[in-house]
Structures are given as structure tokens and as C-alpha cells.
């Protein structure tokens, strides 16, 4: 009689490092694509749905490189703070004297990422951030209720650029004191005409956090699911070849 054997199954999914993780919008997309995910953010993120480290992302990555622990990972996603070069900061806010001084962390982050030898993407919104726009994604490409254009510099991987679907109208809300209606919600700020938290959740495809600040900063998971699936498919083809 054959006795059942207790087999310990090891999770063989590739491991991704999610830097400046916020509440896990990007991480969730990568997990849906087939990654295990570890995140890092300087702020407390109790809603982050995966393994998570609280700390400075640059210092943490430098430590992983120094100790050799970075070799555990297969891919890195980084979303450095974008306020310094975002369209809203360099446009409306600056012209009206709003906002403060913001630190641009893209260049030091890229230097560290290059040292890892791993494939990676750096994500930034539209604006003057100094990254290559290897990939630009928009909510309309995925049937979402936000526009939320995001640019990605991709190193060590090639991600197919989806066709940009024409927008169906305006983003709902006030612009310079005038209200506009439209099929998309404004996933930023707290001013008049901004969507409710449930509207934000539905528009972004996020249901694990109801914190407005986390929702307004989040990357829609559909974006990184697209990136993650493309990377894993290309890697599988490379192994097969």
C-alpha cells in the first residue's frame, strides 16, 4: 500500500521588488501577471497586500546590492516621487505659486538599478521627468474610468506599446472655477468635484484600500499586469529557445 508523502511545495514564481510601493497598485498588477512581490516604502502602508519593508527605497536597494540579497529578485519596479517634474507641478501650480520644493530621485534610483544588473522599469507621470518614454499607458487602453497617463522607462526588457485609444470625453470636475462633466474621474487631490472613494476604487480597479491618499497616488493594476505578462512571456520564450 502506497503511503501519502508530504511534499513541500516551493513557490517558483519569479520575485519582483516594488520600490516606492505606496499601497500596492503596481504590486497587485504584477502579482496578477504571475510574480511574487516584495514592496518598500518610507511611509507606513498597512494596506499593502504583500510582503513589505518600511524604509528609504534608495537605502534599501543599496543594502540589497551590498549584501547580495538583490540576487533573489528577477525584476524591479520603481516609482520615485514625481512631484518635482509632474505636469501639475511645473504648470498650473508653479504659475500660481502653489506647492513647495520637491526632490527628484529618478537619477539616483536609476544609478542603483543599473548596478543590480536586473531588468527594471521606472514609472513617472506625464511632465518633465527625465526618463525615456519606452512605454506610455492610459486608463482608456484598459477600459478604466481614469485617464492617468503613465510613462515607463524599461531596461532589459521590451514591452509592447498598446495603441492609444481616443478619449471619450473630459475628466469630470472643476478646472479654474468651472465645472466640466465627463466619463472619467479625477484621481488626484481633494478639491470640488472630485470623486468619492468608491468611485475612485471602481475607476482604478482597486478594492483593498479605502484611503483616498493611497488611491490618488496608485498606479492602476491593469498597467503593471500588462508589463508583467509581457516580461514573463518574453522570458518564457527565451528559455524555450
Amino acid at each position: 500500500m502506497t503511503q501519502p508523502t508530504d511534499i513541500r511545495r516551493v513557490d517558483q514564481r519569479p520575485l519582483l521588488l516594488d520600490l516606492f510601493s505606496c499601497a500596492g497598485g503596481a504590486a497587485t498588477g504584477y502579482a496578477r501577471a504571475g510574480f511574487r512581490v516584495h514592496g518598500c516604502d518610507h511611509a507606513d502602508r498597512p494596506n499593502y497586500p504583500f510582503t513589505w519593508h518600511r524604509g528609504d527605497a534608495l537605502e534599501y536597494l543599496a543594502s540589497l546590492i551590498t549584501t547580495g540579497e538583490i540576487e533573489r529578485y528577477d525584476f524591479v519596479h520603481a516609482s520615485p516621487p514625481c512631484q518635482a517634474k509632474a505636469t501639475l507641478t511645473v504648470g498650473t501650480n508653479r504659475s500660481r505659486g502653489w506647492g513647495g520644493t520637491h526632490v527628484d530621485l529618478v537619477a539616483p534610483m536609476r544609478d542603483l538599478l543599473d548596478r543590480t544588473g536586473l531588468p527594471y522599469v521606472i514609472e513617472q507621470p506625464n511632465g518633465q521627468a527625465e526618463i525615456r518614454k519606452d512605454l506610455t499607458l492610459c486608463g482608456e487602453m484598459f477600459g478604466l474610468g481614469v485617464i492617468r497617463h503613465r510613462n515607463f522607462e524599461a531596461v532589459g526588457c521590451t514591452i509592447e506599446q498598446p495603441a492609444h485609444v481616443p478619449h471619450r470625453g473630459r475628466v469630470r470636475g472643476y478646472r479654474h472655477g468651472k465645472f466640466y462633466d465627463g466619463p472619467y474621474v479625477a484621481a488626484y487631490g481633494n478639491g470640488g468635484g472630485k470623486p468619492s472613494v468608491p468611485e475612485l476604487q471602481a475607476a482604478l480597479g482597486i478594492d483593498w484600500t479605502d484611503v483616498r491618499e493611497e488611491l490618488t497616488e496608485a498606479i492602476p493594476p491593469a498597467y503593471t499586469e500588462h508589463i508583467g505578462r509581457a516580461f514573463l512571456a518574453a522570458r518564457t520564450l527565451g528559455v524555450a529557445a
Side-chain angles (χ1 to χ4, degrees):
M1 179 177 179
T2 303
Q3 296 294 327
T5 302
D6 181 17
I7 300 175
R8 182 180 178 184
R9 299 190 181 276
V10 178
D11 193 336
Q12 296 296 322
R13 291 176 298 163
L15 184 58
L16 181 140
L17 180 60
D18 175 27
L19 299 171
F20 307 98
S21 64
C22 195
T28 297
Y30 286 118
R32 291 173 181 170
F35 285 92
R36 291 178 295 136
V37 182
H38 291 174
C40 176
D41 198 277
H42 74 283
D44 190 23
R45 299 295 184 185
N47 293 318
Y48 191 79
F50 308 102
T51 299
W52 179 81
H53 171 84
R54 182 174 183 177
D56 180 276
L58 276 78
E59 292 178 0
Y60 185 57
L61 180 56
S63 174
L64 292 174
I65 293 169
T66 299
T67 62
E69 291 184 63
I70 193 64
E71 295 177 10
R72 300 169 55 203
Y73 294 92
D74 299 276
F75 193 87
V76 186
H77 173 101
S79 293
C82 57
Q83 292 91 338
K85 297 293 181 68
T87 298
L88 186 62
T89 303
V90 301
T92 301
N93 284 5
R94 184 168 297 170
S95 68
R96 297 188 174 216
W98 299 341
T101 301
H102 302 285
V103 177
D104 184 355
L105 300 180
V106 171
M109 174 52 63
R110 182 188 291 110
D111 289 343
L112 285 171
L113 291 170
D114 285 339
R115 287 176 55 194
T116 69
L118 295 173
Y120 65 82
V121 296
I122 300 175
E123 173 270 334
Q124 291 284 277
N126 272 349
Q128 297 178 9
E130 295 177 1
I131 67 167
R132 289 196 321 270
K133 297 179 181 179
D134 298 321
L135 176 70
T136 298
L137 298 178
C138 166
E140 187 59 53
M141 296 174 181
F142 304 97
L144 300 177
V146 292
I147 298 299
R148 183 142 286 189
H149 290 127
R150 288 296 182 267
N151 301 307
F152 299 84
E153 178 175 322
V155 174
C157 58
T158 302
I159 313 298
E160 180 183 357
Q161 172 66 62
H164 191 272
V165 181
H167 301 164
R168 292 173 284 119
R170 298 188 67 107
V171 175
R172 190 184 81 215
Y174 283 93
R175 301 292 182 279
H176 310 304
K178 182 178 180 180
F179 181 80
Y180 297 91
D181 200 2
Y184 309 104
V185 302
Y188 55 87
N190 295 297
K194 294 298 190 296
S196 66
V197 165
E199 287 177 317
L200 278 172
Q201 291 174 314
L204 292 162
I206 292 175
D207 60 8
W208 64 88
T209 178
D210 59 1
V211 178
R212 176 178 286 274
E213 177 262 342
E214 293 181 343
L215 290 165
T216 57
E217 291 186 2
I219 300 172
Y223 291 14
T224 47
E225 183 175 0
H226 171 77
I227 293 170
R229 288 188 183 280
F231 172 76
L232 294 177
R235 191 172 83 158
T236 298
L237 287 173
V239 171

